[in-house]
Amino acid sequence: MADQITKAATFKALHVRGQPVILFNVWDAGSAKAVAASGAKALATGSWSVAAAHGFDDGEHMPFDLAIANLERIVAASDLPVTIDLESGYGDGPDEVGANVARAVRAGAIGCNLEDGFRESTLRDAADQAARLKGARAAADRLGVRAFLNARTDVFLIASGDQHEGLVATALDRARAYADAGADGFFVPGLADERLIARIVEGSTLPVNIMASGRTPAAARLAELGVARISHGPGPYRMAMKALEEAARAALI
């Protein structure tokens, strides 16, 4: 546990505005070893990739026991800090979410993502999500590990790009509520406009996480905007599977 506490502190210290930690998301022990060998400073799972690698759709269709078993293998594969994408926490209420976060911490995680989206493009009430984050915070703290709670909002993910500017205030309201609930980071997947990213960074007391895609600014530009964390979501898995398929096709000719 002492080593895990140290890793949690190390991971939190990596979140520096303007010097973002890069998380090239992994999905199993093998991908974890490959990314660790690249010189990565930490490892992060992505729920979409983990689910796909095990034959499931994203959206908590993968059994939670299997997700935890997969986490344990990833933790054992590297000495790096590991944070897990727990989607919506695999539970409706604060107690359920807290119990599941505790399981992840006991399995070796030093942090997790918890999103406010659920049931196909629906947002939870901000107060409800804040209560769930409080449950997660209390559960992790009881174990003595200051796990990094990355509060994800799907405000931008479920809206079209032309609606994003009008949603900045809504997102920042959620950022404040989630910070008050004990969150350590604010994750805004789907946001790609650098003007709006700058406004989120300026208005959030929490370090901001952007998910890289073909539409987002380059990492160097995101650093200039003050982003503290860049994750890659399902991109690495899709890239790897495309390369595998192409290699298989070539082998079969």
Side-chain angles (χ1 to χ4, degrees):
M1 186 65 74
D3 180 55
Q4 192 176 2
I5 292 171
T6 299
K7 286 181 179 179
T10 297
F11 184 69
K12 184 172 185 177
L14 292 173
H15 292 74
V16 179
R17 293 172 188 256
Q19 299 177 39
V21 57
I22 309 296
L23 298 175
F24 203 73
N25 297 78
V26 304
W27 53 91
D28 61 11
S31 59
K33 287 183 177 181
V35 171
S38 75
K41 295 180 179 179
L43 299 174
T45 67
S47 65
W48 192 98
S49 305
V50 170
H54 288 83
F56 297 94
D57 290 331
D58 195 22
E60 298 184 5
H61 293 289
M62 181 171 170
F64 187 64
D65 287 348
L66 181 54
I68 292 297
N70 186 57
L71 168 65
E72 290 173 337
R73 295 186 183 97
I74 291 172
V75 170
S78 170
D79 291 330
L80 293 176
V82 178
T83 181
I84 181 175
D85 184 349
L86 286 181
E87 303 193 60
S88 190
Y90 279 81
D92 289 327
D95 291 342
E96 290 176 279
V97 173
N100 290 334
V101 168
R103 280 193 66 186
V105 172
R106 284 194 293 267
I110 51 71
C112 66
N113 285 1
L114 288 172
E115 62 197 50
D116 59 12
F118 75 121
R119 294 177 187 167
E120 299 183 2
S121 302
T122 301
L123 283 176
R124 293 183 187 275
D125 180 79
D128 179 31
Q129 182 65 3
R132 298 166 83 253
L133 286 165
K134 285 181 181 179
R137 175 82 282 148
D141 288 354
R142 281 194 294 270
L143 293 175
V145 178
R146 181 68 188 186
F148 192 101
L149 298 184
N150 199 33
R152 167 178 147 172
T153 184
D154 286 357
V155 165
F156 300 108
L157 196 62
I158 66 177
S160 61
D162 59 355
Q163 297 175 309
H164 283 185
E165 187 157 9
L167 293 170
V168 169
T170 298
L172 288 175
D173 284 344
R174 286 180 177 258
R176 284 187 283 272
Y178 299 166
D180 289 344
D184 300 287
F186 188 51
F187 184 19
V188 284
L191 188 61
D193 185 306
E194 65 176 59
R195 294 182 305 104
L196 305 186
I197 292 171
R199 286 172 58 187
I200 292 291
V201 169
E202 181 180 3
S204 173
T205 60
L206 297 173
V208 172
N209 179 186
I210 295 294
M211 185 163 70
S213 72
R215 299 182 299 109
T216 51
R221 179 56 180 153
L222 290 174
E224 291 174 349
L225 295 171
V227 170
R229 173 170 170 169
I230 301 171
S231 52
H232 285 256
Y237 177 84
R238 287 174 170 155
M239 186 187 310
M241 293 304 105
K242 181 179 180 181
L244 179 61
E245 181 181 346
E246 291 175 351
R249 287 182 186 280
L252 293 172
I253 291 176

